[in-house]
Amino acid sequence: MTFPKYEAYKESGVEWLGEMPEHWIRVPIKHLAVLNPKKSDYQGDQSQLCSFVPMEKLKTGTLILDEERTISDVYAGYTYFENGDVLQAKVTPCFENKNIAIAENLTNGVGFGSSEINVLRAFNAISNRFLYYRLQENNFMDFCIASMTGVAGLQRVPSEVINNFSIALPEKSEQTQIARFLDHETAHIDALIAEQERLIELLKEKRQAVISHAVTKGLDPTVPMKDSGIEWLGEVPEHWGVIKANFLFEEQCRPVRECDEIVTVFRDGQVCLRSRRRESGFTLADLEHGYQGIRKGDLVVHSMDAFAGAIGVSEDDGKSTPEYVVLKPYDQGINCEYFAHVLRVMAQRNFIFVLCQAVRERAPRFRYSKFSLALLPVPPNDEQDEIQRYISNALNRMQVLADEAEKQVALLQERRSALISAAVTGKIDVRGWKAPESDTPTATLEAAYG
């Protein structure tokens, strides 16, 4: 269903508010709530326990309450709050992510948390649940983001920006009705978002399972199997070889050329070339500093992030920084994409990390000298190609589904934001709304925009 507008509107006199329902009033937030109550307001026993909330445990609509501290231990240096207070992240990117929640079920009714959390304690004129939703409204968010101060990556919303921001406010009973409506509708939307996010996670798990099975067991479930003798690998098709890496790949240490661009391998094997314009000035002398040439088709491994999946095949000529191990197959028929998948499965099963543990450095690193002794599953070359094609096609299909799920999440998040904004600014009238008996959400995009 769609929702009606109010019978009459008036100009608010504030650009970001525009029109508001005729019976609503304009009030600065500082007249409705105290921002960051003084710790001296707490008169309880400091020897008792309280809930402790680091920044990462403040999410949209949720506080993760799995830590407790003695109040005296956290009284200095942390933000104080009590049951009923509205908590909102004040630092980027947590603020933009709408990490905001109402404090409830705190140990002994009190909590302390990150100094990057703002606390708003509502006065009698405003419902804390209406305030919770009002602080998520799009214009308020945009205004605060534009007013952030500080260095990049650590920008914060100044207190005076929040305090002096004027909102349109109905009577408290109407606030309660709006909050009830939004509780119901956002719960449905959040459930739909959770379903899509779960689908994305399942697709990631399926992706790993498809790769793992294909590169270790092959594509034909009827072929005889044999024990590989390798713990992480288990059984492999009987006709496959199990061969040491040093019989398959040689480490490269080529000189670089002026035209070569920097090759970067990200996790999950993504490979890119950094712009030569940003990395100008490299010459053959780069080899003295550990830079080396990479050629199209090389297997490239990031020595520090190999056990996290930073393994790929170069799609072009380039050069690498010293952090990369560059491998070239002895046999031109070897499919490096297949072996990149094998190495990522080894990483997933913690075998590459085991190989790296013996390196006597501050951080373990992938080294060819260790890797060269590892036994790898080796199908015939034509079967390597077939497995690679199968994996590529399967991953492409799953990526289409994942992209669609991501789009749905974005659309639902937009819908949620639009609905909240419409309700708390009086663009729609929900005074006559009643929770439906069915579980079907009543809100629509059209309703959100009036």
mmCIF file of all heavy atoms in Angstrom, residues 1 3 98 138 182 185-186 188-190 192-193 408-422 440-449:
data_model
loop_
_atom_site.group_PDB
_atom_site.id
_atom_site.type_symbol
_atom_site.label_atom_id
_atom_site.label_comp_id
_atom_site.label_asym_id
_atom_site.label_seq_id
_atom_site.Cartn_x
_atom_site.Cartn_y
_atom_site.Cartn_z
ATOM 1 N N MET A 1 0.827 -1.184 0.000
ATOM 2 C CA MET A 1 0.000 0.000 0.000
ATOM 3 C C MET A 1 0.873 1.249 0.000
ATOM 4 O O MET A 1 2.045 1.198 0.347
ATOM 5 C CB MET A 1 -0.926 0.016 1.213
ATOM 6 C CG MET A 1 -0.210 0.039 2.548
ATOM 7 S SD MET A 1 -1.320 0.144 3.974
ATOM 8 C CE MET A 1 -1.922 1.794 3.826
ATOM 9 N N PHE A 3 1.083 5.450 1.309
ATOM 10 C CA PHE A 3 0.654 6.192 2.474
ATOM 11 C C PHE A 3 0.287 7.616 2.082
ATOM 12 O O PHE A 3 0.929 8.215 1.218
ATOM 13 C CB PHE A 3 1.763 6.201 3.529
ATOM 14 C CG PHE A 3 2.070 4.835 4.061
ATOM 15 C CD1 PHE A 3 3.110 4.090 3.528
ATOM 16 C CD2 PHE A 3 1.305 4.281 5.071
ATOM 17 C CE1 PHE A 3 3.391 2.831 3.995
ATOM 18 C CE2 PHE A 3 1.578 3.014 5.549
ATOM 19 C CZ PHE A 3 2.619 2.282 5.011
ATOM 20 N N LYS A 98 26.132 4.351 9.209
ATOM 21 C CA LYS A 98 24.968 4.432 10.103
ATOM 22 C C LYS A 98 25.065 3.440 11.259
ATOM 23 O O LYS A 98 24.110 2.736 11.597
ATOM 24 C CB LYS A 98 23.660 4.225 9.326
ATOM 25 C CG LYS A 98 23.415 5.312 8.296
ATOM 26 C CD LYS A 98 22.050 5.194 7.633
ATOM 27 C CE LYS A 98 21.818 6.337 6.636
ATOM 28 N NZ LYS A 98 20.520 6.263 5.971
ATOM 29 N N ASN A 138 18.331 11.090 5.705
ATOM 30 C CA ASN A 138 19.326 11.375 4.662
ATOM 31 C C ASN A 138 19.894 12.789 4.731
ATOM 32 O O ASN A 138 21.111 12.983 4.621
ATOM 33 C CB ASN A 138 18.721 11.122 3.280
ATOM 34 C CG ASN A 138 18.510 9.648 3.011
ATOM 35 O OD1 ASN A 138 19.200 8.800 3.581
ATOM 36 N ND2 ASN A 138 17.563 9.326 2.150
ATOM 37 N N LEU A 182 8.165 2.297 11.757
ATOM 38 C CA LEU A 182 9.505 2.045 11.228
ATOM 39 C C LEU A 182 10.119 0.781 11.821
ATOM 40 O O LEU A 182 10.853 0.059 11.124
ATOM 41 C CB LEU A 182 10.404 3.254 11.486
ATOM 42 C CG LEU A 182 10.065 4.493 10.660
ATOM 43 C CD1 LEU A 182 10.906 5.683 11.090
ATOM 44 C CD2 LEU A 182 10.248 4.224 9.157
ATOM 45 N N GLU A 185 8.536 -1.975 9.619
ATOM 46 C CA GLU A 185 8.951 -1.983 8.220
ATOM 47 C C GLU A 185 10.447 -2.240 8.059
ATOM 48 O O GLU A 185 10.862 -2.992 7.182
ATOM 49 C CB GLU A 185 8.570 -0.664 7.555
ATOM 50 C CG GLU A 185 7.062 -0.438 7.460
ATOM 51 C CD GLU A 185 6.376 -1.507 6.603
ATOM 52 O OE1 GLU A 185 6.969 -1.928 5.593
ATOM 53 O OE2 GLU A 185 5.261 -1.912 6.963
ATOM 54 N N THR A 186 11.267 -1.618 8.904
ATOM 55 C CA THR A 186 12.708 -1.834 8.763
ATOM 56 C C THR A 186 13.095 -3.255 9.160
ATOM 57 O O THR A 186 14.074 -3.800 8.639
ATOM 58 C CB THR A 186 13.513 -0.830 9.598
ATOM 59 O OG1 THR A 186 13.140 -0.926 10.977
ATOM 60 C CG2 THR A 186 13.300 0.594 9.090
ATOM 61 N N HIS A 188 11.389 -5.922 8.438
ATOM 62 C CA HIS A 188 11.190 -6.713 7.222
ATOM 63 C C HIS A 188 12.313 -6.459 6.220
ATOM 64 O O HIS A 188 12.845 -7.390 5.615
ATOM 65 C CB HIS A 188 9.841 -6.381 6.592
ATOM 66 C CG HIS A 188 8.680 -7.071 7.239
ATOM 67 N ND1 HIS A 188 8.452 -8.425 7.118
ATOM 68 C CD2 HIS A 188 7.674 -6.608 8.020
ATOM 69 C CE1 HIS A 188 7.366 -8.759 7.777
ATOM 70 N NE2 HIS A 188 6.866 -7.667 8.348
ATOM 71 N N ILE A 189 12.653 -5.207 6.043
ATOM 72 C CA ILE A 189 13.707 -4.872 5.079
ATOM 73 C C ILE A 189 15.031 -5.459 5.528
ATOM 74 O O ILE A 189 15.784 -6.032 4.723
ATOM 75 C CB ILE A 189 13.804 -3.344 4.899
ATOM 76 C CG1 ILE A 189 12.517 -2.803 4.280
ATOM 77 C CG2 ILE A 189 15.002 -2.982 4.021
ATOM 78 C CD1 ILE A 189 12.443 -1.287 4.237
ATOM 79 N N ASP A 190 15.331 -5.348 6.812
ATOM 80 C CA ASP A 190 16.584 -5.902 7.330
ATOM 81 C C ASP A 190 16.643 -7.412 7.148
ATOM 82 O O ASP A 190 17.716 -7.979 6.878
ATOM 83 C CB ASP A 190 16.752 -5.547 8.809
ATOM 84 C CG ASP A 190 17.024 -4.067 9.022
ATOM 85 O OD1 ASP A 190 17.402 -3.385 8.049
ATOM 86 O OD2 ASP A 190 16.842 -3.595 10.161
ATOM 87 N N LEU A 192 15.212 -9.073 4.698
ATOM 88 C CA LEU A 192 15.487 -9.301 3.275
ATOM 89 C C LEU A 192 16.963 -9.037 2.962
ATOM 90 O O LEU A 192 17.575 -9.773 2.172
ATOM 91 C CB LEU A 192 14.598 -8.400 2.419
ATOM 92 C CG LEU A 192 13.094 -8.702 2.470
ATOM 93 C CD1 LEU A 192 12.316 -7.624 1.712
ATOM 94 C CD2 LEU A 192 12.804 -10.086 1.894
ATOM 95 N N ILE A 193 17.536 -8.006 3.561
ATOM 96 C CA ILE A 193 18.960 -7.725 3.369
ATOM 97 C C ILE A 193 19.798 -8.885 3.895
ATOM 98 O O ILE A 193 20.751 -9.327 3.238
ATOM 99 C CB ILE A 193 19.351 -6.414 4.072
ATOM 100 C CG1 ILE A 193 18.723 -5.218 3.355
ATOM 101 C CG2 ILE A 193 20.865 -6.260 4.137
ATOM 102 C CD1 ILE A 193 18.926 -3.890 4.065
ATOM 103 N N GLN A 408 20.528 -6.069 -5.055
ATOM 104 C CA GLN A 408 19.338 -6.141 -4.213
ATOM 105 C C GLN A 408 19.608 -5.543 -2.835
ATOM 106 O O GLN A 408 18.766 -4.838 -2.273
ATOM 107 C CB GLN A 408 18.877 -7.597 -4.076
ATOM 108 C CG GLN A 408 18.276 -8.178 -5.332
ATOM 109 C CD GLN A 408 17.021 -7.430 -5.769
ATOM 110 O OE1 GLN A 408 16.178 -7.082 -4.948
ATOM 111 N NE2 GLN A 408 16.916 -7.164 -7.058
ATOM 112 N N VAL A 409 20.792 -5.820 -2.273
ATOM 113 C CA VAL A 409 21.155 -5.248 -0.978
ATOM 114 C C VAL A 409 21.178 -3.724 -1.062
ATOM 115 O O VAL A 409 20.639 -3.021 -0.203
ATOM 116 C CB VAL A 409 22.520 -5.793 -0.511
ATOM 117 C CG1 VAL A 409 23.032 -4.994 0.690
ATOM 118 C CG2 VAL A 409 22.414 -7.262 -0.136
ATOM 119 N N ALA A 410 21.803 -3.203 -2.133
ATOM 120 C CA ALA A 410 21.879 -1.747 -2.295
ATOM 121 C C ALA A 410 20.488 -1.137 -2.439
ATOM 122 O O ALA A 410 20.195 -0.085 -1.846
ATOM 123 C CB ALA A 410 22.739 -1.405 -3.504
ATOM 124 N N LEU A 411 19.617 -1.788 -3.227
ATOM 125 C CA LEU A 411 18.258 -1.288 -3.414
ATOM 126 C C LEU A 411 17.479 -1.305 -2.110
ATOM 127 O O LEU A 411 16.767 -0.342 -1.771
ATOM 128 C CB LEU A 411 17.538 -2.131 -4.473
ATOM 129 C CG LEU A 411 16.100 -1.721 -4.806
ATOM 130 C CD1 LEU A 411 16.058 -0.311 -5.378
ATOM 131 C CD2 LEU A 411 15.463 -2.709 -5.785
ATOM 132 N N LEU A 412 17.627 -2.390 -1.342
ATOM 133 C CA LEU A 412 16.920 -2.488 -0.069
ATOM 134 C C LEU A 412 17.431 -1.454 0.929
ATOM 135 O O LEU A 412 16.649 -0.881 1.696
ATOM 136 C CB LEU A 412 17.074 -3.905 0.502
ATOM 137 C CG LEU A 412 16.264 -4.998 -0.213
ATOM 138 C CD1 LEU A 412 16.772 -6.378 0.171
ATOM 139 C CD2 LEU A 412 14.780 -4.869 0.109
ATOM 140 N N GLN A 413 18.727 -1.219 0.928
ATOM 141 C CA GLN A 413 19.286 -0.198 1.812
ATOM 142 C C GLN A 413 18.782 1.191 1.440
ATOM 143 O O GLN A 413 18.475 2.013 2.309
ATOM 144 C CB GLN A 413 20.810 -0.256 1.782
ATOM 145 C CG GLN A 413 21.380 -1.480 2.484
ATOM 146 C CD GLN A 413 22.873 -1.642 2.294
ATOM 147 O OE1 GLN A 413 23.458 -1.132 1.334
ATOM 148 N NE2 GLN A 413 23.519 -2.368 3.201
ATOM 149 N N GLU A 414 18.691 1.454 0.129
ATOM 150 C CA GLU A 414 18.129 2.727 -0.322
ATOM 151 C C GLU A 414 16.668 2.849 0.100
ATOM 152 O O GLU A 414 16.209 3.911 0.528
ATOM 153 C CB GLU A 414 18.246 2.836 -1.840
ATOM 154 C CG GLU A 414 19.662 3.045 -2.346
ATOM 155 C CD GLU A 414 19.735 3.065 -3.856
ATOM 156 O OE1 GLU A 414 18.663 3.113 -4.504
ATOM 157 O OE2 GLU A 414 20.854 3.039 -4.404
ATOM 158 N N ARG A 415 15.952 1.753 -0.040
ATOM 159 C CA ARG A 415 14.535 1.738 0.339
ATOM 160 C C ARG A 415 14.373 2.020 1.841
ATOM 161 O O ARG A 415 13.515 2.808 2.258
ATOM 162 C CB ARG A 415 13.929 0.389 -0.014
ATOM 163 C CG ARG A 415 12.512 0.166 0.467
ATOM 164 C CD ARG A 415 12.031 -1.208 0.050
ATOM 165 N NE ARG A 415 10.737 -1.502 0.626
ATOM 166 C CZ ARG A 415 10.047 -2.608 0.371
ATOM 167 N NH1 ARG A 415 10.539 -3.507 -0.459
ATOM 168 N NH2 ARG A 415 8.888 -2.812 0.934
ATOM 169 N N ARG A 416 15.234 1.389 2.628
ATOM 170 C CA ARG A 416 15.187 1.587 4.079
ATOM 171 C C ARG A 416 15.428 3.054 4.433
ATOM 172 O O ARG A 416 14.690 3.653 5.221
ATOM 173 C CB ARG A 416 16.242 0.694 4.739
ATOM 174 C CG ARG A 416 16.218 0.670 6.253
ATOM 175 C CD ARG A 416 17.388 -0.181 6.766
ATOM 176 N NE ARG A 416 17.231 -0.499 8.178
ATOM 177 C CZ ARG A 416 17.552 0.310 9.177
ATOM 178 N NH1 ARG A 416 18.034 1.511 8.916
ATOM 179 N NH2 ARG A 416 17.385 -0.074 10.429
ATOM 180 N N SER A 417 16.489 3.633 3.841
ATOM 181 C CA SER A 417 16.825 5.028 4.115
ATOM 182 C C SER A 417 15.708 5.973 3.680
ATOM 183 O O SER A 417 15.348 6.914 4.389
ATOM 184 C CB SER A 417 18.126 5.403 3.399
ATOM 185 O OG SER A 417 19.223 4.692 3.933
ATOM 186 N N ALA A 418 15.145 5.713 2.480
ATOM 187 C CA ALA A 418 14.094 6.575 1.956
ATOM 188 C C ALA A 418 12.841 6.513 2.828
ATOM 189 O O ALA A 418 12.183 7.529 3.077
ATOM 190 C CB ALA A 418 13.761 6.181 0.520
ATOM 191 N N LEU A 419 12.522 5.314 3.301
ATOM 192 C CA LEU A 419 11.328 5.147 4.136
ATOM 193 C C LEU A 419 11.496 5.867 5.472
ATOM 194 O O LEU A 419 10.581 6.559 5.944
ATOM 195 C CB LEU A 419 11.064 3.660 4.364
ATOM 196 C CG LEU A 419 9.739 3.301 5.044
ATOM 197 C CD1 LEU A 419 8.560 3.727 4.196
ATOM 198 C CD2 LEU A 419 9.685 1.818 5.353
ATOM 199 N N ILE A 420 12.665 5.719 6.090
ATOM 200 C CA ILE A 420 12.930 6.414 7.352
ATOM 201 C C ILE A 420 12.836 7.919 7.153
ATOM 202 O O ILE A 420 12.176 8.636 7.920
ATOM 203 C CB ILE A 420 14.314 6.017 7.906
ATOM 204 C CG1 ILE A 420 14.293 4.562 8.379
ATOM 205 C CG2 ILE A 420 14.722 6.945 9.048
ATOM 206 C CD1 ILE A 420 15.660 4.020 8.767
ATOM 207 N N SER A 421 13.482 8.416 6.091
ATOM 208 C CA SER A 421 13.479 9.859 5.842
ATOM 209 C C SER A 421 12.067 10.384 5.625
ATOM 210 O O SER A 421 11.691 11.443 6.142
ATOM 211 C CB SER A 421 14.362 10.184 4.628
ATOM 212 O OG SER A 421 15.710 9.870 4.897
ATOM 213 N N ALA A 422 11.274 9.641 4.858
ATOM 214 C CA ALA A 422 9.907 10.080 4.580
ATOM 215 C C ALA A 422 9.067 10.138 5.846
ATOM 216 O O ALA A 422 8.274 11.074 6.052
ATOM 217 C CB ALA A 422 9.262 9.144 3.556
ATOM 218 N N THR A 440 3.725 -9.702 5.510
ATOM 219 C CA THR A 440 4.155 -8.978 4.324
ATOM 220 C C THR A 440 4.343 -7.510 4.646
ATOM 221 O O THR A 440 3.448 -6.873 5.175
ATOM 222 C CB THR A 440 3.111 -9.106 3.194
ATOM 223 O OG1 THR A 440 2.896 -10.489 2.950
ATOM 224 C CG2 THR A 440 3.603 -8.433 1.921
ATOM 225 N N PRO A 441 5.512 -6.938 4.343
ATOM 226 C CA PRO A 441 5.719 -5.517 4.630
ATOM 227 C C PRO A 441 4.829 -4.656 3.770
ATOM 228 O O PRO A 441 4.581 -4.945 2.607
ATOM 229 C CB PRO A 441 7.201 -5.289 4.286
ATOM 230 C CG PRO A 441 7.552 -6.392 3.339
ATOM 231 C CD PRO A 441 6.684 -7.557 3.716
ATOM 232 N N THR A 442 4.315 -3.577 4.344
ATOM 233 C CA THR A 442 3.406 -2.716 3.600
ATOM 234 C C THR A 442 4.126 -1.620 2.854
ATOM 235 O O THR A 442 3.574 -1.022 1.949
ATOM 236 C CB THR A 442 2.402 -2.059 4.565
ATOM 237 O OG1 THR A 442 3.132 -1.288 5.519
ATOM 238 C CG2 THR A 442 1.588 -3.103 5.289
ATOM 239 N N ALA A 443 5.358 -1.332 3.251
ATOM 240 C CA ALA A 443 6.057 -0.180 2.648
ATOM 241 C C ALA A 443 6.496 -0.473 1.224
ATOM 242 O O ALA A 443 6.845 -1.594 0.895
ATOM 243 C CB ALA A 443 7.271 0.172 3.490
ATOM 244 N N THR A 444 6.435 0.504 0.387
ATOM 245 C CA THR A 444 6.900 0.409 -0.996
ATOM 246 C C THR A 444 7.807 1.577 -1.273
ATOM 247 O O THR A 444 7.844 2.556 -0.532
ATOM 248 C CB THR A 444 5.729 0.430 -1.975
ATOM 249 O OG1 THR A 444 5.108 1.716 -1.872
ATOM 250 C CG2 THR A 444 4.719 -0.647 -1.693
ATOM 251 N N LEU A 445 8.555 1.494 -2.376
ATOM 252 C CA LEU A 445 9.406 2.619 -2.755
ATOM 253 C C LEU A 445 8.564 3.853 -3.020
ATOM 254 O O LEU A 445 8.943 4.969 -2.678
ATOM 255 C CB LEU A 445 10.223 2.250 -3.990
ATOM 256 C CG LEU A 445 11.423 1.326 -3.732
ATOM 257 C CD1 LEU A 445 12.059 0.938 -5.060
ATOM 258 C CD2 LEU A 445 12.450 2.002 -2.839
ATOM 259 N N GLU A 446 7.389 3.645 -3.624
ATOM 260 C CA GLU A 446 6.517 4.792 -3.895
ATOM 261 C C GLU A 446 6.084 5.447 -2.588
ATOM 262 O O GLU A 446 6.029 6.663 -2.483
ATOM 263 C CB GLU A 446 5.293 4.336 -4.685
ATOM 264 C CG GLU A 446 5.584 3.912 -6.124
ATOM 265 C CD GLU A 446 6.153 2.491 -6.190
ATOM 266 O OE1 GLU A 446 6.075 1.774 -5.171
ATOM 267 O OE2 GLU A 446 6.679 2.136 -7.231
ATOM 268 N N ALA A 447 5.825 4.590 -1.575
ATOM 269 C CA ALA A 447 5.418 5.149 -0.294
ATOM 270 C C ALA A 447 6.543 5.972 0.320
ATOM 271 O O ALA A 447 6.318 7.022 0.913
ATOM 272 C CB ALA A 447 5.031 4.023 0.659
ATOM 273 N N ALA A 448 7.761 5.474 0.157
ATOM 274 C CA ALA A 448 8.898 6.168 0.747
ATOM 275 C C ALA A 448 9.091 7.558 0.170
ATOM 276 O O ALA A 448 9.548 8.464 0.847
ATOM 277 C CB ALA A 448 10.171 5.347 0.532
ATOM 278 N N TYR A 449 8.730 7.709 -1.090
ATOM 279 C CA TYR A 449 8.888 9.001 -1.728
ATOM 280 C C TYR A 449 7.588 9.792 -1.788
ATOM 281 O O TYR A 449 7.519 10.866 -2.367
ATOM 282 C CB TYR A 449 9.433 8.817 -3.159
ATOM 283 C CG TYR A 449 10.857 8.350 -3.164
ATOM 284 C CD1 TYR A 449 11.179 7.034 -3.457
ATOM 285 C CD2 TYR A 449 11.879 9.232 -2.848
ATOM 286 C CE1 TYR A 449 12.492 6.610 -3.450
ATOM 287 C CE2 TYR A 449 13.204 8.807 -2.844
ATOM 288 C CZ TYR A 449 13.495 7.499 -3.142
ATOM 289 O OH TYR A 449 14.789 7.069 -3.154
#
